[in-house]
Amino acid sequence: MPSKLLEIRGISKSFPGVKALKDVSIDLSFGEILGLCGENGAGKSTLMKLLTGIYKADEGGEILVDGEPIDVNGPREAQELGINIIHQEFNLVPDLTAAQNIYLGREPRKFGNAFIDDRVLHRQAGELLDRLQIQINPRSYLRDLSVARQQMIEIAKALSFDSRILVMDEPTAALTESEVETLFTLVRNFVTDRTGVIYISHRMNEIKDLTDRVSVLRDGGYVGTVDTVSTPIREVIAMMVGREITSSVRPESLEGNGRVVLEVRGLCTSALLKDVSFDLRQGEILGFAGLMGAGRTEVARALVGADHKTAGVVKIHGKQVSISNPAAAVAGGVGYLSEDRKRDGLLLDQEVSANLVLSSLGKFSNTIGFLSEKGIVKAAERQVSSLRIKTPSIRQTAQNLSGGNQQKVVIGKWLTRDCDVLIFDEPTRGIDVGAKEEIYDLLHKLTAAGKSIIMISSELPEILRLSNRIAVMCEGRITSILSSDEATPETVMHYATLRQAALTADVTTSDPGDGDKASTAGMSADAQEGAR
């Protein structure tokens, strides 16, 4: 019997202007969960696309499964060999149901294969989702599901195959903590003495909790492999970035008399939001925390006019505004970095430079509407440099960048616009550890320059680390607004699970420092004033 389930030896891959992989070798043992780490652009996704036949390697190198060389000529051939991948970017069809997406191309047939048997299809999908403890109606259309639920369908699709080697590329980027635990259970149950998992993640706590070994890539080259249990995470991070990353202290809460830039009172939508009220001060990061479906993204979308609000008042710099669409929000000085950046934030077939000035074209046009190419190039090059966007040129199309660098381009778009209020929805989703530190530093520089930021994140450590105050949501309501001193993981999670039925009684009896109680102090200043 061979000693390794999978061996990748001396693989290289080049694209125009970029050497994506340089003589990379890794291996996967039977029954192992192997972590694969590296900064954005390190070559992780490229390596996995070579493994699954999406790309062809350059000359030299080989891939062995069960000790035998293989030549994979496409994803379907990879699946026949028992190799499946859950991509960081979804491969789903919005206008099909969850069941149709899971079994696309493998649908059960009837009447001599003439028609798809929808009844059997949805039954099979329902049984699979139940077994995986994924609570989604198999007849739901993908376009109606949240990003997190679409991710769960992607996972279910991959696990519906008889896989031996399962590659998971950032599978938890859109999942809540409880969904992550469900996924981890699925992964551990999948691993046997004939299977293995390659797990790609920028979340170091996931790598530590789930994997047996960690292989690290940097700048397209192989750095090394270490045992997860015996290796401190800081050493893995140092391997990834070539330097140690140190955490900064948590920010202080701003004084209550700080100048209010954005006022929101009684914001409601027909679908979810109920009487949402808060203030955002100049130079502040106001974090929004909560479980999936709590309404954090819905608040952002209602503020910028992407979703219709049924009630509520919004003021910017003390002046009431009517924002009915995202263009009106931009005109009012509010920029929105959306949760789904590939769909809502980028023109994938356009150049990096075009994307970076997309929201600011008026700055680069003369009185008769002609654009200044020189001005666009200068602005684009400035953002590429300051954000450390890895691209061979500002003329590179956005779709050819790694996921993390695409996110940086969207951030750069709003920095070019120079909005007073910036709403960042999952700003570091899919971003590696080193790039996260750069984004964190950028956010602090923006607030130091007087910008005001609303930050939505599913990563509680990120919320706690960056936010001056934290608005916690549950079931479409803000259940508390905590200062940085009051906020602890336990307190935030308490408010995030505080159902409205219990809120009234809890608020009148408690002290925020108590960890398991809510208080008017936790909701003071903004929430109480908003209630009035």
Side-chain angles (χ1 to χ4, degrees), residues 30 32 190 204 211 223 266 275 351 462 481 486 492 520 526:
F30 292 92
E32 180 181 43
F190 169 80
M204 293 294 99
T211 67
V223 177
D275 195 26
E351 296 175 350
E462 184 168 84
I481 297 179
E486 294 170 324
V492 172
T520 53
D526 296 333

Side-chain angles (χ1 to χ4, degrees), residues 286-337:
L286 176 63
F288 269 70
L291 303 178
M292 189 188 75
R296 299 165 301 162
T297 293
E298 286 78 4
V299 168
R301 290 180 58 84
L303 284 177
V304 301
D307 288 346
H308 175 68
K309 63 181 176 65
T310 56
V313 173
V314 178
K315 295 182 179 180
I316 299 176
H317 297 301
K319 181 181 179 181
Q320 185 169 334
V321 295
S322 176
I323 298 176
S324 57
N325 55 61
V330 173
V334 180
Y336 177 39
L337 182 78

Side-chain angles (χ1 to χ4, degrees), residues 161-410:
F161 291 90
D162 183 21
S163 304
R164 293 192 59 212
I165 299 169
L166 183 62
V167 179
M168 310 186 84
D169 191 353
E170 296 289 349
T172 66
L175 305 186
T176 64
E177 290 186 16
S178 61
E179 291 168 331
V180 170
E181 287 302 317
T182 299
L183 174 64
F184 282 10
T185 299
L186 295 176
V187 173
R188 293 183 181 112
N189 290 341
F190 169 80
V191 174
T192 67
D193 59 3
R194 62 181 296 274
T195 63
V197 172
I198 297 175
Y199 190 89
I200 303 172
S201 179
H202 295 310
R203 297 180 176 181
M204 293 294 99
N205 60 318
E206 293 182 5
I207 293 293
K208 191 71 173 177
D209 291 344
L210 186 65
T211 67
D212 301 298
R213 293 185 302 150
V214 184
S215 291
V216 179
L217 301 182
R218 185 171 69 233
D219 297 328
Y222 173 73
V223 177
T225 300
V226 296
D227 291 329
T228 305
V229 173
S230 60
T231 306
I233 286 298
R234 66 177 182 275
E235 291 186 16
V236 177
I237 293 172
M239 292 170 67
M240 290 167 54
V241 301
R243 62 192 186 278
E244 287 203 18
I245 298 295
T246 56
S247 296
S248 62
V249 297
R250 289 172 60 180
E252 296 180 357
S253 296
L254 300 183
E255 295 297 326
N257 59 1
R259 186 164 74 89
V260 174
V261 175
L262 175 70
E263 301 174 59
V264 179
R265 298 290 179 261
L267 184 65
C268 301
T269 62
S270 58
L272 181 62
L273 301 183
K274 308 176 188 72
D275 195 26
V276 171
S277 300
F278 63 90
D279 291 339
L280 177 66
R281 300 165 185 158
Q282 185 176 25
E284 177 181 42
I285 297 178
L286 176 63
F288 269 70
L291 303 178
M292 189 188 75
R296 299 165 301 162
T297 293
E298 286 78 4
V299 168
R301 290 180 58 84
L303 284 177
V304 301
D307 288 346
H308 175 68
K309 63 181 176 65
T310 56
V313 173
V314 178
K315 295 182 179 180
I316 299 176
H317 297 301
K319 181 181 179 181
Q320 185 169 334
V321 295
S322 176
I323 298 176
S324 57
N325 55 61
V330 173
V334 180
Y336 177 39
L337 182 78
S338 59
E339 180 183 18
D340 191 342
R341 280 167 277 283
K342 288 183 76 71
R343 185 180 67 183
D344 302 326
L346 285 170
L347 298 177
L348 291 173
D349 60 349
Q350 296 296 311
E351 296 175 350
V352 169
S353 58
N355 276 280
L356 285 169
V357 302
L358 187 61
S359 297
S360 313
L361 291 177
K363 288 185 176 182
F364 305 100
S365 60
N366 60 23
T367 55
I368 58 174
F370 287 99
L371 294 175
S372 168
E373 180 67 17
K374 183 178 178 180
I376 290 173
V377 168
K378 184 178 179 180
E381 288 180 342
R382 182 171 60 249
Q383 295 300 342
V384 166
S385 175
S386 63
L387 294 175
R388 296 175 63 183
I389 299 171
K390 293 182 178 178
T391 175
S393 164
I394 61 171
R395 302 302 184 190
Q396 178 71 278
T397 56
Q399 65 187 355
N400 290 331
L401 301 185
S402 68
N405 283 297
Q406 288 176 346
Q407 289 179 318
K408 288 185 180 182
V409 170
V410 183

